Amino acid sequence: MSPLPLGESKARVPVEYRCFAGQVHPFVLLAGLIDAAHDARRMIGKRLREAFA
């Protein structure tokens, strides 16, 4: 999993794309079953903390 550079959407909000290859669409909800979900949740939490700091 390697992030692409931060960018900006057409709506002028910052975006970051990360691909969790081989994962099913709702994998983030399955943290008890899928290890990559923990990484995704940590990344999401970090970005939310940064955005609302």
Side-chain angles (χ1 to χ4, degrees):
M1 169 194 68
S2 61
L4 294 177
L6 290 175
E8 188 172 270
S9 71
K10 288 182 181 181
R12 296 185 169 278
V13 295
V15 296
E16 179 178 345
Y17 173 80
R18 290 207 183 206
C19 177
F20 289 84
Q23 299 304 320
V24 296
H25 181 70
F27 84 100
V28 172
L29 303 175
L30 303 171
L33 301 172
I34 300 174
D35 291 336
H38 293 289
D39 296 333
R41 286 182 174 199
R42 279 191 287 277
M43 188 261 314
I44 292 166
K46 179 180 178 189
R47 294 294 181 249
L48 287 171
R49 284 189 299 278
E50 291 170 355
F52 292 104

Coordinates of all heavy atoms in Angstrom, one line a residue:
M1 N 0.8 -1.2 0.0 CA 0.0 0.0 0.0 C 0.9 1.2 0.0 O 1.6 1.5 1.0 CB -0.9 0.0 1.3 CG -1.6 1.3 1.5 SD -2.3 1.4 3.1 CE -0.9 1.5 4.1
S2 N 0.9 1.9 -1.1 CA 1.7 3.2 -1.1 C 0.7 4.3 -1.5 O 0.0 4.2 -2.5 CB 2.8 3.1 -2.1 OG 2.4 2.8 -3.4
P3 N 0.8 5.4 -0.8 CA -0.1 6.5 -1.1 C 0.4 7.3 -2.3 O 1.6 7.4 -2.6 CB 0.0 7.4 0.2 CG 1.3 7.1 0.7 CD 1.6 5.7 0.4
L4 N -0.6 7.9 -3.0 CA -0.3 8.8 -4.0 C -0.2 10.2 -3.4 O -0.6 10.4 -2.3 CB -1.4 8.8 -5.1 CG -1.5 7.5 -5.9 CD1 -2.6 7.6 -6.9 CD2 -0.2 7.2 -6.6
P5 N 0.5 11.1 -4.0 CA 0.6 12.4 -3.4 C -0.8 13.0 -3.2 O -1.7 12.7 -3.8 CB 1.3 13.3 -4.5 CG 1.9 12.3 -5.4 CD 1.1 11.0 -5.3
L6 N -0.8 13.9 -2.1 CA -2.0 14.6 -1.9 C -2.4 15.5 -3.1 O -1.5 16.0 -3.7 CB -1.9 15.5 -0.6 CG -1.8 14.7 0.7 CD1 -1.5 15.7 1.8 CD2 -3.0 13.9 1.0
G7 N -3.7 15.6 -3.3 CA -4.1 16.4 -4.4 C -5.3 17.3 -4.0 O -5.5 17.5 -2.9
E8 N -6.0 17.7 -5.0 CA -7.2 18.6 -4.7 C -8.2 18.1 -5.7 O -8.0 17.9 -6.9 CB -6.8 20.0 -5.0 CG -7.9 21.0 -4.6 CD -7.4 22.4 -4.6 OE1 -6.8 22.9 -3.6 OE2 -7.5 23.1 -5.7
S9 N -9.5 18.0 -5.2 CA -10.6 17.6 -6.0 C -11.1 18.8 -6.8 O -10.7 20.0 -6.6 CB -11.7 17.1 -5.2 OG -12.3 18.1 -4.4
K10 N -12.1 18.6 -7.7 CA -12.7 19.7 -8.5 C -13.4 20.6 -7.5 O -13.6 21.8 -7.8 CB -13.7 19.1 -9.5 CG -13.0 18.4 -10.6 CD -14.0 17.9 -11.6 CE -13.3 17.2 -12.8 NZ -14.3 16.7 -13.8
A11 N -13.8 20.1 -6.4 CA -14.5 21.0 -5.4 C -13.5 21.7 -4.5 O -13.8 22.4 -3.5 CB -15.4 20.1 -4.5
R12 N -12.2 21.6 -4.8 CA -11.1 22.2 -4.1 C -11.0 21.8 -2.7 O -10.7 22.6 -1.8 CB -11.3 23.8 -4.2 CG -11.2 24.3 -5.6 CD -11.2 25.8 -5.6 NE -10.9 26.4 -6.8 CZ -9.6 26.6 -7.3 NH1 -8.6 26.2 -6.6 NH2 -9.4 27.2 -8.5
V13 N -11.2 20.5 -2.4 CA -10.9 20.0 -1.1 C -9.7 19.0 -1.3 O -9.6 18.3 -2.3 CB -12.1 19.2 -0.5 CG1 -13.2 20.2 -0.2 CG2 -12.6 18.1 -1.4
P14 N -8.9 18.9 -0.3 CA -7.7 18.0 -0.4 C -8.2 16.5 -0.4 O -9.2 16.1 0.2 CB -6.9 18.2 0.9 CG -7.8 19.1 1.8 CD -8.9 19.6 1.0
V15 N -7.5 15.7 -1.2 CA -7.8 14.3 -1.3 C -6.5 13.5 -1.3 O -5.4 14.0 -1.6 CB -8.6 14.0 -2.7 CG1 -9.9 14.6 -2.7 CG2 -7.8 14.4 -3.9
E16 N -6.6 12.3 -0.9 CA -5.5 11.4 -0.9 C -6.1 10.0 -1.3 O -7.1 9.5 -0.7 CB -4.9 11.3 0.5 CG -3.7 10.3 0.6 CD -3.1 10.2 2.0 OE1 -3.4 11.1 2.8 OE2 -2.4 9.3 2.2
Y17 N -5.4 9.4 -2.2 CA -5.9 8.1 -2.7 C -4.9 7.0 -2.2 O -3.7 7.1 -2.3 CB -5.8 8.0 -4.3 CG -6.1 6.7 -4.8 CD1 -7.4 6.2 -4.9 CD2 -5.1 5.9 -5.2 CE1 -7.6 4.9 -5.4 CE2 -5.3 4.6 -5.8 CZ -6.6 4.1 -5.8 OH -6.8 2.9 -6.3
R18 N -5.5 6.0 -1.6 CA -4.7 4.8 -1.2 C -5.4 3.6 -1.6 O -6.7 3.5 -1.5 CB -4.6 4.8 0.3 CG -3.7 5.9 0.9 CD -3.1 5.5 2.1 NE -2.3 6.6 2.6 CZ -1.3 6.5 3.4 NH1 -0.9 5.3 3.8 NH2 -0.6 7.5 3.8
C19 N -4.7 2.7 -2.2 CA -5.3 1.4 -2.7 C -4.9 0.3 -1.7 O -3.7 0.1 -1.5 CB -4.7 1.1 -4.1 SG -5.4 -0.5 -4.7
F20 N -5.9 -0.4 -1.2 CA -5.7 -1.6 -0.4 C -6.0 -2.8 -1.3 O -7.1 -3.3 -1.3 CB -6.5 -1.5 0.8 CG -6.1 -0.5 1.8 CD1 -6.5 0.8 1.7 CD2 -5.3 -0.8 2.9 CE1 -6.1 1.8 2.7 CE2 -4.9 0.1 3.8 CZ -5.3 1.4 3.7
A21 N -5.0 -3.1 -2.1 CA -5.2 -4.2 -3.1 C -5.7 -5.5 -2.6 O -5.4 -5.9 -1.5 CB -3.9 -4.4 -3.8
G22 N -6.7 -6.1 -3.3 CA -7.2 -7.4 -2.9 C -8.3 -7.3 -1.9 O -8.8 -8.4 -1.4
Q23 N -8.7 -6.1 -1.5 CA -9.7 -6.0 -0.4 C -11.1 -5.9 -1.0 O -11.3 -5.3 -2.1 CB -9.4 -4.9 0.5 CG -8.1 -4.9 1.2 CD -7.9 -6.2 2.0 OE1 -8.9 -6.7 2.7 NE2 -6.8 -6.8 2.0
V24 N -12.1 -6.4 -0.3 CA -13.5 -6.2 -0.7 C -13.9 -4.8 -0.3 O -13.3 -4.2 0.6 CB -14.4 -7.3 0.0 CG1 -14.0 -8.7 -0.5 CG2 -14.3 -7.2 1.5
H25 N -15.0 -4.3 -0.9 CA -15.4 -2.9 -0.7 C -15.6 -2.5 0.7 O -15.0 -1.5 1.1 CB -16.7 -2.7 -1.5 CG -17.2 -1.3 -1.4 ND1 -16.5 -0.2 -2.0 CD2 -18.2 -0.8 -0.7 CE1 -17.2 0.9 -1.7 NE2 -18.2 0.6 -0.9
P26 N -16.3 -3.3 1.6 CA -16.5 -2.8 2.9 C -15.4 -3.4 3.9 O -15.7 -3.5 5.1 CB -17.9 -3.4 3.3 CG -17.9 -4.7 2.5 CD -17.2 -4.4 1.2
F27 N -14.2 -3.6 3.4 CA -13.2 -4.2 4.3 C -12.9 -3.5 5.6 O -12.6 -4.0 6.6 CB -11.9 -4.5 3.5 CG -11.0 -3.4 3.4 CD1 -9.9 -3.3 4.3 CD2 -11.2 -2.4 2.5 CE1 -9.0 -2.2 4.2 CE2 -10.3 -1.3 2.4 CZ -9.2 -1.2 3.3
V28 N -13.1 -2.1 5.5 CA -12.8 -1.3 6.7 C -13.7 -1.7 7.9 O -13.3 -1.6 9.0 CB -12.9 0.2 6.4 CG1 -12.8 1.1 7.6 CG2 -11.8 0.6 5.4
L29 N -14.9 -2.1 7.6 CA -15.8 -2.5 8.6 C -15.5 -3.9 9.2 O -16.1 -4.3 10.2 CB -17.2 -2.6 8.0 CG -17.7 -1.3 7.4 CD1 -19.1 -1.4 6.8 CD2 -17.7 -0.1 8.4
L30 N -14.6 -4.6 8.6 CA -14.3 -6.0 9.0 C -12.9 -6.1 9.7 O -12.2 -7.0 9.5 CB -14.3 -6.9 7.8 CG -15.6 -6.9 7.0 CD1 -15.4 -7.7 5.7 CD2 -16.7 -7.5 7.9
A31 N -12.6 -5.1 10.6 CA -11.3 -5.1 11.3 C -11.1 -6.3 12.1 O -9.9 -6.7 12.3 CB -11.2 -3.8 12.2
G32 N -12.1 -7.0 12.6 CA -11.9 -8.2 13.3 C -11.5 -9.4 12.5 O -11.0 -10.4 13.0
L33 N -11.7 -9.3 11.2 CA -11.4 -10.4 10.3 C -10.2 -10.1 9.3 O -9.6 -11.0 8.8 CB -12.6 -10.7 9.4 CG -13.9 -11.1 10.3 CD1 -15.1 -11.3 9.4 CD2 -13.6 -12.4 11.0
I34 N -10.0 -8.8 9.0 CA -9.1 -8.4 7.9 C -8.0 -7.5 8.5 O -8.4 -6.4 8.9 CB -9.8 -7.8 6.7 CG1 -10.8 -8.7 6.1 CG2 -8.8 -7.3 5.7 CD1 -11.7 -8.1 5.0
D35 N -6.8 -7.9 8.5 CA -5.7 -7.1 9.1 C -5.5 -5.8 8.5 O -5.3 -4.8 9.2 CB -4.4 -7.9 9.1 CG -4.4 -9.1 10.0 OD1 -5.1 -9.1 11.0 OD2 -3.6 -10.0 9.7
A36 N -5.7 -5.7 7.2 CA -5.5 -4.4 6.5 C -6.5 -3.3 6.9 O -6.3 -2.1 6.8 CB -5.6 -4.6 5.0
A37 N -7.6 -3.8 7.5 CA -8.6 -2.8 8.0 C -8.1 -2.0 9.1 O -8.4 -0.8 9.3 CB -9.9 -3.6 8.4
H38 N -7.2 -2.6 9.9 CA -6.6 -1.8 11.0 C -5.8 -0.7 10.5 O -5.8 0.4 11.0 CB -5.8 -2.7 11.9 CG -6.6 -3.7 12.7 ND1 -7.4 -3.4 13.7 CD2 -6.7 -5.1 12.5 CE1 -8.0 -4.5 14.2 NE2 -7.6 -5.5 13.5
D39 N -5.0 -1.0 9.5 CA -4.2 0.1 8.8 C -5.0 1.2 8.2 O -4.7 2.3 8.4 CB -3.3 -0.5 7.7 CG -2.3 -1.5 8.3 OD1 -1.9 -1.4 9.5 OD2 -1.9 -2.4 7.5
A40 N -6.1 0.8 7.6 CA -7.0 1.7 7.0 C -7.7 2.6 8.0 O -7.8 3.8 7.9 CB -8.1 1.0 6.1
R41 N -8.1 2.0 9.1 CA -8.7 2.8 10.2 C -7.8 3.8 10.8 O -8.2 4.9 11.1 CB -9.3 1.8 11.2 CG -10.6 1.2 10.7 CD -11.1 0.3 11.8 NE -12.4 -0.3 11.4 CZ -13.3 -0.8 12.3 NH1 -13.0 -0.8 13.6 NH2 -14.4 -1.2 11.9
R42 N -6.5 3.3 11.0 CA -5.5 4.2 11.6 C -5.3 5.4 10.7 O -5.2 6.6 11.1 CB -4.2 3.5 11.9 CG -4.3 2.7 13.2 CD -2.9 2.2 13.6 NE -2.4 1.1 12.7 CZ -2.7 -0.1 12.9 NH1 -3.5 -0.5 13.9 NH2 -2.3 -1.1 12.1
M43 N -5.2 5.2 9.4 CA -5.0 6.2 8.4 C -6.2 7.2 8.4 O -6.0 8.4 8.4 CB -4.8 5.6 7.0 CG -4.4 6.6 5.9 SD -5.7 7.3 4.8 CE -6.6 5.8 4.4
I44 N -7.4 6.6 8.4 CA -8.6 7.5 8.4 C -8.7 8.3 9.6 O -8.9 9.5 9.6 CB -9.9 6.6 8.2 CG1 -9.9 6.0 6.9 CG2 -11.1 7.4 8.5 CD1 -10.9 4.8 6.7
G45 N -8.4 7.7 10.8 CA -8.4 8.5 12.0 C -7.4 9.6 12.1 O -7.7 10.7 12.5
K46 N -6.2 9.3 11.6 CA -5.1 10.3 11.5 C -5.5 11.5 10.7 O -5.4 12.6 11.0 CB -3.8 9.7 11.0 CG -2.7 10.7 10.9 CD -1.4 10.0 10.4 CE -0.3 11.0 10.3 NZ 0.8 10.5 9.6
R47 N -6.1 11.2 9.5 CA -6.5 12.3 8.6 C -7.6 13.1 9.2 O -7.7 14.3 9.0 CB -6.9 11.7 7.2 CG -5.8 11.1 6.4 CD -4.7 12.2 6.1 NE -3.6 11.6 5.3 CZ -2.4 11.4 5.8 NH1 -2.1 11.9 7.0 NH2 -1.5 10.9 5.0
L48 N -8.6 12.5 9.9 CA -9.7 13.2 10.5 C -9.1 14.1 11.6 O -9.6 15.2 11.8 CB -10.7 12.2 11.0 CG -11.6 11.6 10.0 CD1 -12.5 10.5 10.6 CD2 -12.5 12.6 9.3
R49 N -8.2 13.5 12.4 CA -7.6 14.4 13.5 C -6.9 15.6 12.9 O -7.0 16.7 13.5 CB -6.7 13.5 14.4 CG -7.4 12.6 15.3 CD -6.4 11.9 16.3 NE -5.4 11.1 15.7 CZ -5.6 9.9 15.2 NH1 -6.8 9.3 15.4 NH2 -4.6 9.2 14.7
E50 N -6.2 15.4 11.8 CA -5.5 16.5 11.2 C -6.5 17.5 10.6 O -6.3 18.7 10.8 CB -4.6 16.0 10.1 CG -3.4 15.2 10.5 CD -2.7 14.5 9.4 OE1 -3.1 14.5 8.2 OE2 -1.6 13.8 9.7
A51 N -7.5 17.1 10.1 CA -8.5 18.0 9.4 C -9.3 18.8 10.5 O -9.6 20.0 10.2 CB -9.5 17.2 8.6
F52 N -9.5 18.2 11.6 CA -10.3 18.9 12.6 C -9.5 19.5 13.8 O -10.1 20.0 14.8 CB -11.4 18.0 13.2 CG -12.4 17.6 12.2 CD1 -12.5 16.4 11.6 CD2 -13.4 18.6 11.8 CE1 -13.4 16.1 10.6 CE2 -14.4 18.3 10.9 CZ -14.4 17.0 10.3
A53 N -8.2 19.5 13.6 CA -7.3 20.0 14.7 C -7.4 21.6 14.7 O -7.7 22.2 13.7 CB -5.9 19.6 14.5

